[in-house]
Amino acid sequence: MGRKCNVKLCESNKTTEHITLFSNPKDQILYEKWTSIVNAWNCDNTKVKYLCLKHFEDNDINKTFDGFTIEDN
């Protein structure tokens, strides 16, 4: 099975179009923040592996020639 956004009702999981996915952060504190937010959205405990671009604000993302990175806020 391919990679997909871990937000259950995310529209990007229902399409075949290319969408940028971010893997979970290596920093444990930031990972716990991601997990807390996704669990609230999903109403259950979810092991977060990927979140798509649609779940970030524009100012959360650094757009570079090589792709995207997430701001460490």
Side-chain angles (χ1 to χ4, degrees), residues 10-58:
C10 181
E11 293 296 315
S12 73
N13 293 331
K14 298 176 185 172
T15 182
T16 57
E17 74 181 75
H18 175 76
I19 187 86
T20 300
L21 291 170
F22 296 100
S23 58
N24 61 21
K26 305 288 185 233
D27 178 272
Q28 187 62 32
I29 293 170
L30 191 53
Y31 175 74
E32 289 172 7
K33 286 181 182 179
W34 277 36
T35 301
S36 174
I37 292 167
V38 172
N39 287 343
W41 288 336
N42 288 345
C43 299
D44 69 3
N45 290 330
T46 302
K47 182 174 181 181
V48 178
K49 291 185 179 182
Y50 301 103
L51 286 180
C52 78
L53 185 62
K54 294 180 179 186
H55 303 293
F56 294 92
E57 300 289 328
D58 286 342

